[in-house]
């Protein structure tokens, strides 16, 4: 009886175990099937998008032939087409890796020369960050068997990753072989921020976003995971050594002899082409407009045009905004908050348009620093952000930003926001005109605010040097006890005018008052009294301000009397 009971219990236990095991196998198969389905979906999407991108690329080439004057815009289109193609190819390769569909096709050729040419194609990417770059291949020439398509992706991901996380110093690639010339070693070393020891094991996980590096840049999280899969496909290995604040070194090894590969992996009909890297690795960098160069093609005078600083780490978006705004304003450029601060302290500005997510210093920190400064607190700032959560919008407003736009946005929408802020500044001219329209001899105390005190002092400075034709921005700033950029920013905020225009405005209004007081005065004497050496130029300015020549104006006053 006891034996029968034990048998029954044992049978039930086996059945239960089989049930649970079967359920786990079923769940596992479901998960595998779902991953395969998702991988197939990604593969199909990537494949379907490549076709219209090809059509777009061909259309751009056609437009370039028919209307070559828009060459910069075509370069911008092709640059982003290449970026999308590379990203889609990476997604496609990752999907194939997950479903074990990646295949090797190796061919024979000069392996070292191919590696050198491939790495050299990424030099513009590294030069853009002003990093030293060296490529060393030992020996310089050596035959072997490689899959050029896979090796391109490996080198591209390692070098672009090194450049992305290195702000100063160097990036180096070194390639060498084993003593028997049967294994290829490639080492990519940088002097970047490094990776915490506890996070090195996670960097090869798909979609892993290292928080230590997140403030520097944003990526898909696929690059290193795909690189590892491609190396393992070669039956090779990859390792990483890193120290925070010192740098990171990736070392890979892959076999390069014909015997290392299966028969269906070998292509004996074709040889490695050393021109392939130039065809495959394209659209890496885009030549952005010169940073810190003030541009304007609208025909406006430099003294009269508003100055706008665009802060954006994306060179293509920087170029787009630059090309659109340069015909309306004087445009200066920076690629991060630190560069922007240097420009703000050196150059008079009217408005800043800044991205939020940037390396070195983001848009939030830039805004806080400027709004906390008494010299730049009134400088308007528009923030551009991809963040759309309510708390993100609240954070932007808490930093003191005057306005913000969510990405993606239309360039015409950006200009509208800029124009609205500038129009608000122009409205402040009403207060200024009311103040300057009063009799300067009136000693009535009307100054109540710091802005009015500043304006009172500025008016007094110009009036004290009214007849001095040499009185310029530099002398004015010295009298005001402020830097040229601070004086510009405050005058622009209060009056809507820059320094030179403000001085000229005071001179013109005083000339109008003096002419009314003594209409029999000669025009030349009137010009000299308000600081003009050339009476003809004075007459031109007077007519521009009041719509009438000074001689005609004074004659009309005489006739009235």
């Amino acid at each position: 009886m006891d034996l029968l009971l034990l048998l029954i219990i044992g049978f039930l236990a086996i059945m239960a175990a089989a049930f649970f095991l079967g359920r786990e196998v079923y769940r596992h198969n479901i998960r595998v099937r779902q991953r395969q389905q998702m991988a197939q979906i990604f593969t199909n999407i990537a494949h379907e998008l490549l076709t219209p991108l090809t059509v777009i690329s061909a259309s751009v080439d056609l437009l370039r032939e028919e209307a070559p004057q828009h060459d910069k815009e075509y370069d911008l289109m092709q640059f982003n087409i290449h970026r999308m193609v590379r990203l889609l190819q990476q997604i496609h390769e990752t999907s194939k890796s997950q479903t074990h569909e990646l295949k090797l096709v190796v061919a024979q050729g000069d392996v070292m020369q191919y590696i050198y040419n491939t790495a050299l194609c990424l030099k513009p990417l590294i030069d853009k960050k002003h990093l030293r770059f060296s490529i060393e291949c030992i020996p310089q020439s050596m035959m072997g068997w490689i899959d050029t398509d896979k090796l391109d992706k490996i080198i591209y991901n390692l070098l672009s990753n090194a450049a992305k996380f290195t702000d100063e110093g160097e990036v180096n690639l070194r390639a060498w072989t084993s003593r028997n010339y049967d294994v290829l070693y490639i080492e990519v070393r940088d002097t970047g921020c490094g990776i915490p020891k506890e996070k090195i094991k996670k960097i090869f996980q798909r979609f892993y976003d290292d928080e230590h590096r997140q403030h520097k840049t944003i990526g898909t999280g696929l690059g290193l995971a795909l690189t590892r899969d491609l190396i393992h496909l070669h039956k090779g290995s990859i390792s990483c050594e890193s120290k925070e604040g010192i740098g990171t070194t990736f070392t890979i090894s892959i076999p390069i002899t014909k015997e290392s590969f299966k028969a269906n992996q070998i292509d004996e009909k074709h040889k490695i082409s050393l021109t392939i890297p130039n065809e495959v690795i394209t659209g890496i960098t885009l030549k952005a407009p010169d940073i810190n160069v003030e541009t304007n093609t609208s025909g406006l005078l430099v003294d009269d045009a508003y100055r706008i600083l665009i802060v954006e780490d994306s060179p293509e978006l920087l170029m787009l905004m630059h090309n659109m705004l340069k015909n309306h304003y004087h445009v200066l450029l920076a690629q991060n908050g630190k560069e922007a601060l240097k420009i703000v302290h050196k150059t008079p500005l009217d408005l800043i348009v800044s991205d939020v997510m940037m390396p070195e210093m983001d848009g939030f920190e830039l805004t806080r620093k400027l709004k906390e400064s008494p010299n730049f607190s009134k400088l308007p700032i528009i923030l551009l952000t991809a963040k759309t959560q309510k708390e993100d919008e609240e954070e932007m407003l808490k930093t003191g930003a005057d306005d913000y736009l969510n990405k993606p946005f239309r360039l015409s929408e950006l200009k509208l926001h800029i124009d609205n802020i500038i129009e608000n500044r122009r409205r402040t001219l009403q207060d200024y005109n009311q103040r300057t329209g009063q009799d300067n001899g009136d000693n009535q105390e009307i100054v109540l605010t710091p802005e009015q005190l500043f304006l009172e002092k500025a008016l007094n400075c110009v009036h004290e040097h009214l007849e001095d034709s040499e009185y310029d921005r530099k002398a004015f700033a010295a009298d005001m006890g402020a830097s040229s950029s601070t004086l510009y920013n405050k005058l622009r905020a209060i009056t809507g005018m820059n320094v030179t225009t403000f001085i000229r405005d005071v001179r013109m209004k005083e000339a109008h008052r003096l002419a009314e007081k003594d209409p029999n005065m000669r025009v030349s004497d009137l010009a000299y009294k308000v600081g003009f050496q050339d009476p003809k130029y004075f007459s031109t300015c007077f007519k521009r301000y009041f719509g009438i020549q000074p001689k005609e104006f004074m004659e009309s006053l005489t006739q009235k009397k």
Side-chain angles (χ1 to χ4, degrees):
M1 185 67 179
D2 291 339
L3 180 60
L4 179 60
L5 182 61
L6 288 174
L7 288 174
I8 293 173
I9 293 173
F11 176 76
L12 292 175
I14 293 172
M15 291 295 294
F19 172 77
F20 285 111
L21 179 62
R23 188 170 64 175
E24 285 303 311
V25 170
Y26 174 77
R27 287 178 175 176
H28 173 74
N29 290 338
I30 290 294
R31 288 195 295 268
V32 170
R33 191 178 302 114
Q34 288 175 340
R35 283 199 299 268
Q36 290 175 339
Q37 289 173 345
M38 289 304 299
Q40 187 60 45
I41 289 172
F42 279 120
T43 299
N44 291 341
I45 291 173
H47 177 75
E48 290 300 321
L49 286 175
L50 285 173
T51 300
L53 282 174
T54 304
V55 175
I56 294 171
S57 180
S59 300
V60 170
D61 290 337
L62 183 62
L63 287 172
R64 194 190 295 269
E65 293 180 5
E66 295 180 353
Q69 68 270 23
H70 303 295
D71 196 56
K72 288 185 178 180
E73 286 74 12
Y74 301 143
D75 287 343
L76 185 63
M77 294 177 194
Q78 290 290 12
F79 170 78
N80 280 280
I81 289 170
H82 287 307
R83 277 186 57 181
M84 288 188 68
V85 168
R86 178 167 288 280
L87 179 59
L88 290 171
Q89 288 175 338
Q90 191 146 286
I91 293 173
H92 183 61
E93 291 287 292
T94 302
S95 298
K96 289 170 67 176
S97 174
Q98 288 181 296
T99 55
H100 306 290
E101 294 179 6
L102 278 178
K103 305 295 181 184
L104 279 178
V105 180
V106 299
Q108 189 182 35
D110 194 327
V111 174
M112 290 301 185
Q113 279 296 304
Y114 188 86
I115 292 172
Y116 183 88
N117 288 355
T118 303
L120 196 62
C121 288
L122 283 106
K123 189 175 185 299
L125 179 69
I126 299 170
D127 287 347
K128 186 176 70 172
K129 296 197 67 175
H130 308 291
L131 303 172
R132 296 185 298 276
F133 183 41
S134 65
I135 308 169
E136 182 183 14
C137 295
I138 307 172
Q140 293 183 354
S141 178
M142 189 196 70
M143 301 297 287
W145 293 79
I146 57 172
D147 184 325
T148 56
D149 176 64
K150 305 301 185 291
L151 193 59
D152 279 338
K153 293 180 174 64
I154 292 169
I155 294 175
Y156 176 89
N157 284 330
L158 291 179
L159 282 178
S160 63
N161 203 61
K164 189 184 299 181
F165 299 118
T166 304
D167 295 323
E168 58 182 20
E170 58 186 358
V171 173
N172 302 314
L173 181 143
R174 187 167 69 96
W176 71 98
T177 65
S178 61
R179 291 182 179 180
N180 297 325
Y181 304 100
D182 57 349
V183 177
L184 171 69
Y185 299 95
I186 299 177
E187 176 187 270
V188 174
R189 181 174 60 85
D190 65 60
T191 57
C193 58
I195 308 169
K197 185 176 180 181
E198 66 274 12
K199 294 184 178 181
I200 289 181
K201 293 181 180 180
K202 299 180 181 179
I203 61 175
F204 295 109
Q205 295 178 5
R206 287 186 183 88
F207 309 113
Y208 175 67
D209 189 7
D210 185 357
E211 294 177 358
H212 177 70
R213 294 183 166 189
Q214 191 174 8
H215 70 284
K216 291 284 186 181
T217 187
I218 301 173
T220 61
L222 292 175
L224 286 178
L226 178 60
T227 299
R228 177 203 58 189
D229 292 347
L230 295 176
I231 292 169
H232 288 172
L233 186 65
H234 286 80
K235 306 299 182 186
S237 64
I238 180 170
S239 63
C240 175
E241 295 182 3
S242 185
K243 292 185 179 179
E244 289 187 83
I246 296 178
T248 303
T249 301
F250 285 93
T251 305
I252 71 169
S253 65
I254 57 174
I256 54 172
T257 61
K258 184 179 180 180
E259 293 73 26
S260 302
F261 305 100
K262 299 176 182 179
N264 61 355
Q265 295 176 330
I266 298 172
D267 180 7
E268 298 198 56
K269 295 181 180 179
H270 303 93
K271 300 295 181 182
I272 295 174
S273 171
L274 297 180
T275 64
I276 287 179
N278 292 308
E279 298 169 3
V280 176
I281 301 181
T282 55
I284 294 172
T285 59
L286 178 69
K287 187 177 188 294
D290 293 335
I291 301 298
N292 301 341
V293 174
E294 189 174 324
T295 59
N296 172 50
T297 58
S298 63
L300 294 173
L301 296 174
V302 171
D303 284 337
D304 292 336
Y306 280 79
R307 290 185 175 91
I308 294 177
L309 172 63
I310 306 174
V311 193
E312 171 62 59
D313 63 331
S314 167
E316 62 271 22
L317 187 52
L318 193 67
M319 175 181 279
L320 273 174
M321 290 190 287
H322 169 267
N323 288 342
M324 185 201 71
L325 297 175
K326 69 181 181 181
N327 293 322
H328 306 279
Y329 312 105
H330 293 295
V331 180
L332 292 96
L333 309 171
Q335 290 186 298
N336 57 62
K338 283 188 176 180
E339 289 182 7
L341 278 181
K342 292 178 182 178
I343 295 173
V344 169
H345 285 93
K346 291 180 180 179
T347 308
L349 295 170
D350 295 302
L351 185 141
I352 294 177
V353 177
S354 175
D355 188 20
V356 170
M357 297 296 291
M358 296 182 295
E360 300 290 345
M361 181 189 293
D362 63 24
F364 287 147
E365 187 176 354
L366 172 64
T367 303
R368 290 191 192 99
K369 286 183 178 294
L370 291 176
K371 293 301 181 180
E372 290 171 0
S373 168
N375 293 331
F376 305 109
S377 60
K378 293 188 178 297
L379 184 59
I381 300 176
I382 299 175
L383 291 179
L384 309 175
T385 179
K387 298 181 175 183
T388 57
Q389 298 298 319
K390 186 176 181 180
E391 54 268 25
D392 298 321
E393 296 176 359
E394 291 176 354
E395 184 178 358
M396 280 184 284
L397 296 176
K398 285 179 181 178
T399 61
D402 298 83
D403 201 355
Y404 67 89
L405 272 175
N406 290 320
K407 292 182 177 179
F409 56 86
R410 292 178 296 176
L411 293 177
S412 58
E413 185 181 7
L414 172 61
K415 187 177 182 301
L416 180 62
H417 281 247
I418 293 173
D419 289 344
N420 285 339
I421 287 180
I422 289 178
E423 183 58 33
N424 288 334
R425 276 200 160 195
R426 285 175 179 154
R427 291 192 186 103
T428 62
L429 276 171
Q430 296 175 359
D431 295 334
Y432 165 74
N433 287 330
Q434 290 175 1
R435 169 65 187 90
T436 55
Q438 296 176 4
D439 186 354
N440 286 309
D442 189 354
N443 293 322
Q444 182 183 1
E445 180 61 48
I446 63 168
V447 179
L448 300 174
T449 67
E451 287 78 11
Q452 289 173 320
L453 283 169
F454 182 87
L455 180 58
E456 179 79 11
K457 184 178 180 180
L459 289 168
N460 289 336
C461 284
V462 178
H463 277 285
E464 287 172 5
H465 299 85
L466 200 64
E467 296 185 24
D468 183 3
S469 61
E470 300 297 324
Y471 193 67
D472 58 8
R473 287 176 291 183
K474 186 175 181 181
F476 189 12
D479 288 345
M480 292 292 292
S483 67
S484 296
S485 60
T486 299
L487 178 61
Y488 178 97
N489 290 330
K490 286 191 174 182
L491 277 181
R492 196 66 124 161
I494 296 171
T495 71
M497 290 182 283
N498 59 40
V499 179
T500 302
T501 306
F502 177 82
I503 295 174
R504 186 168 61 240
D505 185 80
V506 174
R507 294 185 191 277
M508 286 293 100
K509 288 178 178 178
E510 181 63 13
H512 191 276
R513 190 186 70 82
L514 291 174
E516 287 182 321
K517 185 177 181 181
D518 185 5
N520 294 317
M521 187 187 308
R522 293 190 305 176
V523 173
S524 58
D525 291 337
L526 180 60
Y528 300 144
K529 280 184 175 293
V530 293
F532 281 83
Q533 289 182 326
D534 185 354
K536 289 185 178 179
Y537 178 60
F538 166 74
S539 297
T540 301
C541 292
F542 193 95
K543 184 175 182 180
R544 184 187 303 168
Y545 265 75
F546 304 110
I548 188 173
Q549 289 286 350
K551 185 177 180 180
E552 295 173 358
F553 175 66
M554 289 188 285
E555 286 177 351
S556 67
L557 291 174
T558 304
Q559 291 173 0
K560 289 179 181 179
K561 290 184 178 181

